[in-house]
Amino acid sequence: MAKFVVTPWEVTGDVNYDKLVKDFGTTRISKQLLEKTKKHTGKLHLFLRRGLFFSHRDFDKILDDYEKGKKFFLYTGRGPSGKTHLGHLMPWIFAKHLQDKFKAEMYFQLTDDEKYLVKNLTLDQTIGFSYDNALDVIACGFDPKKTFIFLDTEYSKSLYKMAIRISKHITFSITKSVFGFQNSSNIGLIFFPAMQAAPCFFPSELKKKKMNCLIPAAIDQDPYWRGIARYVAPKLGYPKPAQIHNKFLPGLGESGKMSSSKPNTCIFTTDDPDIVKRKIWNAFTGGRGSKKEQMEKGGNPDICKIYQYLYYMFEEDDKKLKERYNNCKKGKILCGDCKIYLTNKINKFLKEHQKRRQKAKRQLDKFILRD
Amino acid sequence: MAKFVVTPWEVTGDVNYDKLVKDFGTTRISKQLLEKTKKHTGKLHLFLRRGLFFSHRDFDKILDDYEKGKKFFLYTGRGPSGKTHLGHLMPWIFAKHLQDKFKAEMYFQLTDDEKYLVKNLTLDQTIGFSYDNALDVIACGFDPKKTFIFLDTEYSKSLYKMAIRISKHITFSITKSVFGFQNSSNIGLIFFPAMQAAPCFFPSELKKKKMNCLIPAAIDQDPYWRGIARYVAPKLGYPKPAQIHNKFLPGLGESGKMSSSKPNTCIFTTDDPDIVKRKIWNAFTGGRGSKKEQMEKGGNPDICKIYQYLYYMFEEDDKKLKERYNNCKKGKILCGDCKIYLTNKINKFLKEHQKRRQKAKRQLDKFILRD
């Protein structure tokens, strides 16, 4: 198995979330916090019910302030190095849920600069992916009046000005210890953490009012917020941005998160139904070697990617999910059944998503923030 | 005497220009190159006649290309950390001369970001100084149709995008060796060399045509061009920017260049006539202890700041300058005479400059480049 590594640029191996919570110094989302959330959202979102958003920093404080009348805005983003896959959608779907429930504004950063600086891509390519990825963001259903999508190289004025203020407080030593930068790192990448922290604060400048910020994002991005944005916030006189962290959607192979670098273990938002069918058919399951053995001994849903996909995103009904789990264990269902079931669920989801994605091409101007 | 140090952020001690040319690896401006220049400018500018613009990189190539019909643009700038003094004006006056003679466009960068990052100043302060300094640039008489003045935090889109392309090729190691950055340097300053190099190339992008760039600037700025812009140009497919370097206008004290940090040895463009009179009266001269001794033994114009000011900027007439030199040596004139003569010259110059500076307040919009 690949070594377990989680940094903002690399996630490999089977992820040990307990270790991440301990190493990063975040807080598990408690039952009490879920109850508090429920007061505002009604029935908890699937991602919270199933512990997929599982860790946080100051989310409790965000809710306390909200109850006292202090609103917050949402901030998340995407490094545009390729097509969008289902794993990317998790924090966006959750952000859309939070926007609905808390009437929150949403700022979405496309880091075309970062991906140009770390990958073998041209700036034209990362800008192209940015606009492509933006369609998926919009397709998640965000409110165009409350949602602001921006590219680092296009919304540079507000971003750069704020990043400069941040960067004055961040030494190269800090970025070495937080991100492992070295003397051979390029100076664009060394500066980039300031650009990534800027959206935690610039909306306060736009509105001329200091606002709380909540960042829904996969936990690998935590070092940015812990090491840079939260460190610098009091020095600049802004509230520390809060985070709520999700687990990684697994890839369809035996181990690792869903990653564009392994396209066969990865479902893209633009995949055709036939491609989805093939990918799911080839996914790693917890099934036995034969039908007979499966019926006698039962399968192992705990290691099965099909089950995990239903658990993560595609079986909204908790009762049905539990039944499927038990039936698998008891050998009452075969892998083929689950694969067909999941394929249909995903293709239904993608059909709607792709329809909204198509429509989004005409809506870009309503969402893209320029200065 | 202070130790002789020249970096982009520090110039102390008496400057050894031979050593700088050798250390920086630049080329002295030869008689042949002056002759070649003369073909295009007519009578050589005072700064060239007197060897004040004394060193270059590829200025000969710029002229060769020009003769073949390939135009160039000018680029220089200012770190806006305070008021403009006479020393700052030297490259600007020379750039205006080049603009006139070569019909060249001029790009002028105000590095409000840099000065915020290295000084104990707020961004509002460095932006304020930028607009104040811009008035002095305009007062030099540049053509509003061919001159583009911009602030790094305001013209960020074009600048940042180009800086990102540059920064991908510049490691922290390079900036360590070129500028002496350390692990304790802030990441904004580490990135800044890419912002300073960007105007060598972005005009080519604006015009969609690769253009030669000539940078008139004091020689302390050379490391930027040598270590960053010229290094990266071929990697990005642009011509290497050429430089033409001036000496520092001396301060009015015994040694060192004119520097805002010693306001009494420094004449600001906004100084009143009485203040100029007092500063010049207190300047360091090569005079003797008494009138009698001066008339007997003669003075020493070679160490005299009054003489140097006439030489650098205020005695256009080469013959008169030589006469004054000889008369001083022979004890025919006293320091008071020269001080009154220089005071009148400077005050006449400043009266006109201040008039144009006042008018410039209404012209800012014609010059400031925004995106």
Side-chain angles (χ1 to χ4, degrees):
Chain A
M1 190 196 304
K3 199 184 148 208
F4 161 53
V5 175
V6 174
T7 75
W9 292 286
E10 190 186 16
V11 178
T12 56
D14 275 328
V15 182
N16 180 338
Y17 290 105
D18 286 327
K19 185 164 162 30
L20 282 183
V21 166
K22 203 173 151 230
D23 288 355
F24 286 177
T26 67
T27 306
R28 281 265 178 190
I29 294 176
S30 66
K31 277 189 185 159
Q32 290 84 339
L33 186 50
L34 289 178
E35 286 305 314
K36 197 180 179 78
T37 309
K38 220 169 171 175
K39 282 198 289 182
H40 302 286
T41 63
K43 189 185 176 188
L44 284 174
H45 191 276
L46 178 151
F47 290 163
L48 286 173
R49 291 199 317 269
R50 300 202 185 145
L52 300 171
F53 274 80
F54 71 109
S55 152
H56 75 105
R57 290 182 192 274
D58 287 347
F59 179 51
D60 48 349
K61 202 173 157 296
I62 288 279
L63 292 180
D64 286 343
D65 281 356
Y66 184 80
E67 288 174 5
K68 287 178 204 144
K70 190 169 181 185
K71 289 192 175 185
F72 61 91
F73 68 90
L74 296 158
Y75 161 38
T76 192
R78 154 95 177 122
S81 57
K83 293 190 286 184
T84 306
H85 62 55
L86 294 177
H88 300 134
L89 294 186
M90 283 184 67
W92 311 351
I93 290 169
F94 192 59
K96 145 80 175 138
H97 164 75
L98 293 175
Q99 177 174 78
D100 287 350
K101 299 298 176 183
F102 294 93
K103 310 271 173 269
E105 287 192 343
M106 159 76 168
Y107 291 82
F108 194 98
Q109 182 178 42
L110 290 155
T111 59
D112 56 343
D113 50 353
E114 175 199 22
K115 289 302 170 184
Y116 167 74
L117 290 165
V118 294
K119 299 258 181 186
N120 188 18
L121 293 169
T122 65
L123 209 40
D124 281 345
Q125 285 175 311
T126 63
I127 291 170
F129 287 135
S130 295
Y131 278 93
D132 180 81
N133 296 168
L135 300 177
D136 291 302
V137 178
I138 296 169
C140 287
F142 289 101
D143 180 349
K145 291 207 183 88
K146 289 183 184 295
T147 305
F148 310 96
I149 302 174
F150 50 94
L151 280 68
D152 284 352
T153 68
E154 295 192 349
Y155 188 61
S156 311
K157 196 168 152 180
S158 302
L159 283 171
Y160 182 69
K161 197 167 174 180
M162 182 57 77
I164 280 295
R165 292 177 59 196
I166 293 164
S167 71
K168 192 170 182 174
H169 301 280
I170 309 292
T171 63
F172 180 62
S173 289
I174 292 175
T175 67
K176 273 177 82 165
S177 70
V178 174
F179 306 109
F181 289 158
Q182 304 188 338
N183 285 3
S184 59
S185 300
N186 75 58
I187 61 172
L189 191 61
I190 292 170
F191 179 65
F192 175 72
M195 289 293 281
Q196 177 123 334
C200 300
F201 311 123
F202 84 73
S204 292
E205 291 299 309
L206 282 185
K207 307 276 169 182
K208 303 193 185 309
K209 193 174 113 182
K210 288 184 182 170
M211 292 189 294
N212 279 339
C213 170
L214 174 65
I215 303 169
I219 194 162
D220 59 331
Q221 298 299 308
D222 185 73
Y224 278 117
W225 324 122
R226 179 186 72 237
I228 306 295
R230 289 177 62 90
Y231 167 76
V232 90
K235 295 177 196 290
L236 297 179
Y238 299 107
K240 284 187 181 187
Q243 287 84 52
I244 183 161
H245 304 113
N246 66 292
K247 296 183 179 178
F248 306 106
L249 183 67
L252 294 166
E254 190 172 349
S255 80
K257 72 162 185 169
M258 182 168 276
S259 166
S260 312
S261 58
K262 299 178 197 157
N264 278 323
T265 69
C266 184
I267 292 167
F268 295 105
T269 58
T270 50
D271 277 350
D272 285 337
D274 283 353
I275 291 174
V276 172
K277 191 178 168 187
R278 178 177 54 74
K279 287 179 178 174
I280 296 297
W281 201 256
N282 293 324
F284 181 82
T285 71
R288 300 286 175 173
S290 69
K291 183 179 168 181
K292 188 169 168 277
E293 199 187 346
Q294 172 93 356
M295 292 177 77
E296 278 171 21
K297 299 184 182 167
N300 181 1
D302 294 317
I303 61 163
C304 175
K305 300 301 157 176
I306 308 296
Y307 177 73
Q308 284 173 14
Y309 273 58
L310 293 168
Y311 184 90
Y312 266 73
M313 291 181 79
F314 293 102
E315 183 55 272
E316 170 69 27
D317 187 324
D318 296 337
K319 209 177 133 216
K320 281 192 191 171
L321 185 75
K322 201 173 175 192
E323 274 174 20
R324 186 170 294 274
Y325 183 90
N326 291 334
N327 285 339
C328 172
K329 283 260 198 187
K330 290 178 197 157
K332 285 189 181 171
I333 45 171
L334 298 176
C335 294
D337 302 330
C338 289
K339 284 176 174 176
I340 291 164
Y341 185 79
L342 176 63
T343 300
N344 289 339
K345 287 273 190 185
I346 293 179
N347 279 337
K348 192 179 158 204
F349 171 84
L350 286 184
K351 191 177 166 192
E352 291 304 313
H353 183 87
Q354 287 166 6
K355 212 183 285 172
R356 290 192 301 269
R357 199 178 186 283
Q358 192 59 31
K359 202 177 142 207
K361 290 178 187 173
R362 299 188 306 273
Q363 296 177 298
L364 273 170
D365 277 350
K366 286 190 204 167
F367 285 93
I368 298 283
L369 193 59
R370 291 191 179 91
D371 59 4
Chain B
M1 193 195 300
K3 198 183 150 211
F4 161 53
V5 175
V6 174
T7 74
W9 292 285
E10 189 186 15
V11 178
T12 57
D14 276 328
V15 181
N16 181 337
Y17 290 105
D18 285 328
K19 186 165 161 25
L20 282 183
V21 165
K22 203 172 151 235
D23 288 356
F24 286 178
T26 66
T27 307
R28 280 263 179 192
I29 294 177
S30 66
K31 275 187 186 162
Q32 290 84 337
L33 186 49
L34 289 178
E35 286 306 314
K36 196 181 179 79
T37 308
K38 220 169 170 175
K39 282 198 290 179
H40 302 285
T41 63
K43 188 186 177 189
L44 285 173
H45 191 275
L46 179 152
F47 291 164
L48 287 173
R49 292 200 315 272
R50 300 199 183 147
L52 300 171
F53 273 81
F54 71 110
S55 153
H56 76 105
R57 289 182 192 275
D58 287 347
F59 180 50
D60 48 348
K61 203 174 158 292
I62 289 279
L63 292 180
D64 286 343
D65 282 357
Y66 184 79
E67 289 173 5
K68 288 177 204 145
K70 190 169 181 186
K71 291 192 174 183
F72 61 89
F73 68 89
L74 297 157
Y75 160 38
T76 192
R78 154 95 177 124
S81 56
K83 293 190 285 183
T84 306
H85 62 54
L86 294 178
H88 300 132
L89 293 186
M90 284 184 67
W92 310 353
I93 289 169
F94 193 60
K96 145 79 174 138
H97 164 75
L98 295 174
Q99 177 173 76
D100 287 351
K101 299 296 176 183
F102 294 93
K103 309 275 174 268
E105 287 193 342
M106 159 75 168
Y107 291 82
F108 193 98
Q109 182 178 42
L110 289 155
T111 58
D112 56 342
D113 49 354
E114 175 200 23
K115 290 301 171 186
Y116 167 73
L117 290 166
V118 294
K119 299 258 181 184
N120 188 18
L121 292 169
T122 66
L123 210 40
D124 282 345
Q125 285 174 312
T126 63
I127 293 169
F129 287 134
S130 296
Y131 278 94
D132 180 81
N133 297 167
L135 300 177
D136 290 302
V137 178
I138 296 169
C140 288
F142 289 102
D143 179 351
K145 291 206 182 85
K146 289 183 184 296
T147 305
F148 310 95
I149 303 174
F150 49 94
L151 279 67
D152 284 352
T153 67
E154 294 193 349
Y155 188 60
S156 312
K157 196 169 153 180
S158 303
L159 283 171
Y160 182 69
K161 199 168 172 179
M162 182 56 78
I164 279 296
R165 292 177 58 197
I166 294 163
S167 71
K168 191 170 181 173
H169 301 280
I170 309 293
T171 63
F172 181 62
S173 290
I174 293 176
T175 67
K176 272 177 84 165
S177 70
V178 174
F179 306 109
F181 289 158
Q182 304 188 338
N183 285 3
S184 59
S185 301
N186 75 57
I187 61 173
L189 190 61
I190 292 170
F191 178 65
F192 176 72
M195 289 293 281
Q196 176 123 333
C200 301
F201 313 122
F202 84 74
S204 292
E205 291 299 308
L206 282 185
K207 308 275 170 183
K208 301 195 185 309
K209 192 175 113 182
K210 286 180 185 175
M211 293 189 293
N212 279 338
C213 170
L214 173 64
I215 304 169
I219 193 161
D220 58 329
Q221 299 298 307
D222 184 74
Y224 277 117
W225 323 122
R226 180 185 73 240
I228 307 296
R230 289 176 62 90
Y231 167 78
V232 89
K235 296 177 195 289
L236 298 179
Y238 299 108
K240 284 187 181 187
Q243 287 84 53
I244 183 161
H245 304 115
N246 66 292
K247 295 183 178 175
F248 306 107
L249 183 66
L252 294 166
E254 190 171 349
S255 81
K257 71 161 186 169
M258 184 169 274
S259 166
S260 313
S261 57
K262 298 177 198 159
N264 277 325
T265 69
C266 184
I267 292 168
F268 295 105
T269 58
T270 50
D271 278 349
D272 286 337
D274 283 352
I275 291 173
V276 172
K277 191 178 169 187
R278 177 175 56 72
K279 286 178 179 176
I280 296 298
W281 202 257
N282 293 325
F284 180 81
T285 72
R288 299 285 177 175
S290 68
K291 182 180 170 182
K292 188 166 167 280
E293 199 187 347
Q294 173 93 355
M295 293 176 77
E296 277 170 21
K297 300 184 180 167
N300 181 2
D302 294 318
I303 60 163
C304 174
K305 300 301 158 177
I306 306 298
Y307 177 73
Q308 285 173 14
Y309 273 58
L310 293 168
Y311 183 91
Y312 266 73
M313 293 181 76
F314 294 103
E315 182 55 274
E316 170 68 28
D317 187 326
D318 295 338
K319 209 177 133 216
K320 281 193 192 170
L321 185 75
K322 203 174 173 189
E323 273 174 21
R324 185 170 295 273
Y325 182 89
N326 291 334
N327 286 339
C328 172
K329 283 261 200 189
K330 291 178 195 157
K332 285 189 180 173
I333 45 170
L334 298 176
C335 294
D337 302 331
C338 289
K339 284 177 174 174
I340 290 164
Y341 186 79
L342 177 62
T343 300
N344 289 339
K345 287 274 190 184
I346 294 178
N347 278 337
K348 191 178 160 203
F349 171 85
L350 286 184
K351 191 177 167 191
E352 291 305 312
H353 183 88
Q354 286 166 7
K355 213 183 282 172
R356 291 193 302 271
R357 199 179 186 282
Q358 191 60 30
K359 202 176 142 207
K361 290 179 186 171
R362 299 187 305 273
Q363 296 176 298
L364 273 170
D365 277 351
K366 286 190 201 164
F367 284 92
I368 297 284
L369 193 59
R370 292 192 178 89
D371 59 6

